[in-house]
Amino acid sequence: MEKNAPNTGNSSAPRVLFVASECAPYAKCGGLGDVVASLPKALRTLGVDARVAIPLYDSIDRGKYGLEPESPCLAGAGRGETNGCGVWRGTADGDVPVWFIEHNRFFARGGIYDDHGAEFGDNAFRFGLLCMAAAQVCRDRAWIPDILHVHDWPTAVLPAMMDAWRKNGTPLGRAGSVLTIHNQGYQGYSHASALDYLGLGPEYFAADALESYGKINLLKGGIVFADAITTVSPTYAKEILLEPGGNGLSGFLQRREGDFEGILNGADYEVWNPETDPQIPAVYGANSLIGKGRCKQELQVQMGLKPDASVPLFGIVSRLAAQKGTELMREALPWALNEMQMQIAVLGSGDSDDESFFRWLSQAYPGRVGVEIGYSDELAHRIQAGSDFFLMPSLFEPCGLSQLYALRYGSLPVVHATGGLEDTVEQYNEGEGTGTGFKFYHPDARAFHDTIGWAVSTWYDRPSHITLMREDAMKRRFEWETSARRYVGIYQRVMAKHGA
Ligand code: ADP
Ligand code: GLC
């Protein structure tokens, strides 16, 4: 048996290839990278032969991750053109085999999607090549997947390519496709000239295919051509079936309603576990919170906050983008800081105006607001561990993983009740002292401000409720295994459709 085969001993285990733009720890901008790392791992424990293909970005340190070169591939790119790609192999956490597609012209340029906010103009070509190369790698190794599982706009074009390949009789056997939508807000628009490169004829430039406002819309292509479509929480599934959540694509999703469902993401509790986390100053659990006190104290020192156990500390770890409710933060946070005894620790990067706002906030409230602009996995863990509350006022949130981590670390989420935030945070009940967080229902600054106030007053006036909520939050589990079982059901349906 091959070293990395799943633990079934069964050679007929379904073969699933994840084709994606991110996979933690190699390349990650947000939760997509976490999911592409954890879901295949959970699938393998269920006997699925799940593997991953991502680009070899120049930011990926081959030595550090022990990547090994394999034989290169020639990926077809429409018009009979081929592109040579290097192929490297690594094994992510949990023995998930990962193929890295090397093509320096496309992937050795610093960013994953953009250069400091300026989106690369050739993204359809870049990720289109990833899709073609991933398929070629499978063919070259005679490892023909039953399912190609694609994620968001970067790889959503692959189901359309498979449709074209089937017609031309150059298939990946009977492989079917599953598209997971992690964020309907990003759709991947490109000039129609990319179609040729992608090997898609003019018939794909149609309103019931990839065409959208005179351009091609990659996510739309996935919605039209994938055999099954999922998104990452039940509430978000309902939201994107309607406008404005559907961002113009709700009608196309409605046509696929029978093949579409919302499956909640899980959290990887091997990585996010305060009882064993090597990145935090002191470990702790639901029944012994002494370590959490030390984490708070050290975070206060590290972030330039006044060391004071009695003041409630609010954490933020976020991409700084409109989706995350940065407008609400800009209005509500100074307002709350002016009125309430509280501290805030922020880690984030993204929109330059948002970054400037947070730099200003830390200067305007010295000792009360600590800000780190950048990306740091270690600090993300330390903020989760050291904070009492976790702020996530997202305008929309397909699932959200940060609030799942916050719950596990006993940092009570303060959230806008949307998408996965609605599904995973239980509202505080002031009469009973139950719940796991504080939710507001209208995404406006006043509601956010008032809900921060509700959390602060609970901290000072009803500390026993905070203790109860924290204990409950830390015991909640959003296990990948549960979600992975649902994906297996979808794979089986798609395989049956293709006669596998
Ligand atoms: P999204 O994918 O929309 O950004 P999620 O809550 O699903 O939101 O996932 C965010 C993930 O990215 C979490 O793992 C979080 O810790 C991480 N993250 C976000 N911003 C940063 C940052 N600046 N530094 C380190 N990790 C970050
Ligand atoms: C997206 C969403 C986030 C979700 C993540 C993983 O980035 O914004 O809500 O948790 O994907 O599915």
Side-chain angles (χ1 to χ4, degrees):
M1 189 161 115
E2 194 187 333
K3 177 175 165 279
N4 288 317
N7 62 359
T8 55
N10 174 1
S11 61
S12 66
R15 293 172 166 184
V16 179
L17 182 69
F18 279 53
V19 186
S21 50
E22 299 179 29
C23 177
Y26 309 110
K28 167 175 158 181
C29 291
L32 170 63
D34 289 346
V35 173
V36 175
S38 327
L39 177 55
K41 187 161 108 177
L43 286 165
R44 288 181 80 82
T45 67
L46 298 178
V48 175
D49 187 355
R51 304 182 183 198
V52 177
I54 62 167
L56 184 67
Y57 302 108
D58 51 354
S59 54
I60 297 176
D61 185 334
R62 298 167 211 204
K64 175 175 160 196
Y65 294 118
L67 307 193
E68 309 255 349
E70 286 194 349
S71 45
C73 78
L74 274 180
R79 290 176 264 134
E81 196 183 303
T82 50
N83 284 275
C85 295
V87 180
W88 294 68
R89 174 140 163 168
T91 306
D93 178 29
D95 272 359
V96 179
V98 181
W99 281 305
F100 296 84
I101 307 300
E102 179 184 21
H103 191 78
N104 287 343
R105 188 161 66 90
F106 280 170
F107 301 129
R109 45 169 86 164
I112 293 184
Y113 308 107
D114 55 28
D115 181 11
H116 299 97
E119 198 177 312
F120 299 131
D122 57 353
N123 276 342
F125 294 80
R126 299 171 69 231
F127 295 111
L129 179 65
L130 167 69
C131 292
M132 293 185 274
Q136 190 62 46
V137 166
C138 295
R139 280 198 288 250
D140 290 349
R141 283 147 188 79
W143 184 85
I144 302 299
D146 298 296
I147 302 286
L148 287 147
H149 191 155
V150 300
H151 298 266
D152 274 351
W153 65 267
T155 53
V157 74
L158 186 49
M161 290 175 168
M162 291 164 76
D163 184 69
W165 295 341
R166 267 182 218 120
K167 286 180 199 147
N168 297 331
T170 53
L172 270 178
R174 291 187 295 236
S177 58
V178 175
L179 164 70
T180 294
I181 299 173
H182 298 262
N183 196 328
Q184 180 94 337
Y186 302 101
Q187 300 184 355
Y189 273 93
S190 162
H191 193 270
S193 60
L195 281 177
D196 202 20
Y197 180 80
L198 300 169
L200 298 173
E203 67 276 23
Y204 290 90
F205 192 61
D208 60 358
L210 276 77
E211 191 274 335
S212 186
Y213 302 104
K215 292 190 158 191
I216 57 174
N217 177 326
L218 298 173
L219 186 66
K220 181 182 171 191
I223 292 173
V224 173
F225 289 102
D227 292 303
I229 306 157
T230 69
T231 190
V232 289
S233 71
T235 295
Y236 192 61
K238 286 188 211 140
E239 289 170 2
I240 60 178
L241 276 168
L242 299 171
E243 295 304 331
N247 284 83
L249 292 181
S250 60
F252 290 92
L253 265 179
Q254 284 165 18
R255 288 192 211 168
R256 302 297 316 274
E257 214 170 337
D259 298 315
F260 173 55
E261 60 188 287
I263 303 177
L264 203 58
N265 285 334
D268 186 338
Y269 294 115
E270 280 174 23
V271 177
W272 295 93
N273 179 358
E275 290 166 38
T276 54
D277 192 335
Q279 305 203 79
I280 61 178
V283 293
Y284 60 93
N287 301 321
S288 69
L289 284 158
I290 299 167
K292 186 161 176 76
R294 235 193 88 203
C295 292
K296 178 171 177 179
Q297 194 181 23
E298 296 226 359
L299 183 64
Q300 286 172 321
V301 172
Q302 182 178 355
M303 303 290 290
L305 302 168
K306 185 170 170 243
D308 183 348
S310 69
V311 178
L313 172 49
F314 289 75
I316 295 177
V317 177
S318 185
R319 290 187 290 116
L320 297 178
Q323 174 198 345
K324 299 295 174 182
T326 47
E327 287 261 327
L328 303 192
M329 295 186 202
R330 286 197 213 184
E331 217 180 315
L333 296 184
W335 185 5
L337 283 157
N338 288 341
E339 292 176 352
M340 304 172 204
Q341 291 300 322
M342 61 183 287
Q343 296 181 343
I344 310 180
V346 184
L347 167 64
S349 63
D351 182 280
S352 57
D353 288 346
D354 293 331
E355 292 183 353
S356 307
F357 162 74
F358 279 110
R359 282 199 192 93
W360 168 82
L361 197 70
S362 68
Q363 282 158 12
Y365 298 90
R368 297 182 62 207
V369 177
V371 172
E372 178 76 31
I373 299 296
Y375 190 93
S376 159
D377 193 48
E378 186 184 38
L379 186 55
H381 283 247
R382 284 170 166 249
I383 290 181
Q384 295 282 9
S387 56
D388 301 300
F389 299 97
F390 193 82
L391 297 175
M392 247 174 122
S394 310
L395 299 184
F396 69 95
E397 194 61 76
C399 178
L401 295 173
S402 288
Q403 85 281 9
L404 304 184
Y405 307 150
L407 290 167
R408 182 71 187 92
Y409 281 70
S411 175
L412 301 176
V414 176
V415 302
H416 172 217
T418 181
L421 298 174
E422 166 67 353
D423 293 338
T424 58
V425 177
E426 186 188 320
Q427 180 70 307
Y428 171 46
N429 177 327
E430 204 173 305
E432 317 261 325
T434 56
T436 59
F438 299 82
K439 302 203 262 197
F440 57 98
Y441 290 83
H442 296 286
D444 60 57
R446 171 171 287 281
F448 182 36
H449 161 274
D450 292 353
T451 309
I452 294 174
W454 194 23
V456 169
S457 62
T458 307
W459 172 268
Y460 286 111
D461 302 339
R462 294 173 297 281
S464 62
H465 286 184
I466 297 287
T467 307
L468 282 175
M469 291 172 81
R470 191 175 260 173
E471 252 180 57
D472 188 3
M474 291 181 72
K475 288 181 180 154
R476 298 279 171 115
R477 291 291 182 276
F478 299 88
E479 297 288 357
W480 265 118
E481 189 188 326
T482 318
S483 307
R485 284 189 194 285
R486 300 215 18 220
Y487 281 101
V488 170
I490 292 173
Y491 298 153
Q492 282 165 344
R493 283 204 298 281
V494 171
M495 285 161 67
K497 174 177 159 190
H498 288 285

